[in-house]
Amino acid sequence: QVQLVESGGGLVQPGGSLRLSCAASGFTFSMYAMSWYRQAPGKERELVARITSIGGGTNYAGSVQGRFTISRDNAKNTVYLQMNSLKPEDTAVYYCNSWVSGMGYWGKGTLVTVSS
């Protein structure tokens, strides 16, 4: 069974950094693109970053481009989101996502709070 488990969230001051991790299991991780989404209270879930199966191609939301970096380690079945220069507007629950065999799979999320 496909399983995605996020970790690394927490409280950080504006301008600080965090690295989120998503451990994947139950599918051939290296064959699929992976994504990070986030959702703040009262707002729709939005795509933050996406990385191809090989890892050479990435896409970012305009609001995070230049500050966030998505990467993956296929040997560890893990995708990462390095978040730098964090802003209060980045506060949200961050979710790992993969589209496997026509089905979308999600982790339970990890909360990131940016506040002074």
Side-chain angles (χ1 to χ4, degrees):
Q1 294 78 28
V2 173
Q3 186 174 42
L4 303 173
V5 181
E6 303 97 335
S7 62
L11 175 64
V12 63
Q13 294 184 347
S17 299
L18 284 174
R19 189 179 76 157
L20 307 183
S21 298
C22 172
S25 61
F27 65 103
T28 306
F29 179 79
S30 62
M31 293 179 60
Y32 297 93
M34 300 293 296
S35 300
W36 286 97
Y37 286 73
R38 68 185 182 187
Q39 187 168 24
K43 298 183 65 177
E44 295 182 350
R45 187 172 298 186
E46 64 174 344
L47 176 66
V48 176
R50 180 181 180 273
I51 188 167
T52 62
S53 59
I54 297 175
T58 57
N59 291 289
Y60 298 93
S63 59
V64 308
Q65 193 163 4
R67 300 188 297 120
F68 291 11
T69 302
I70 188 171
S71 62
R72 67 192 297 159
D73 187 340
N74 286 344
K76 296 182 177 180
N77 285 9
T78 302
V79 62
Y80 305 95
L81 185 67
Q82 178 66 47
M83 305 184 295
N84 299 325
S85 301
L86 283 162
K87 304 175 180 179
E89 306 92 89
D90 296 319
T91 297
V93 177
Y94 285 71
Y95 298 91
C96 183
N97 163 264
S98 183
W99 193 262
V100 182
S101 299
M103 294 288 293
Y105 293 90
W106 302 87
K108 293 183 178 180
T110 185
L111 176 63
V112 173
T113 302
V114 185
S115 180
S116 59

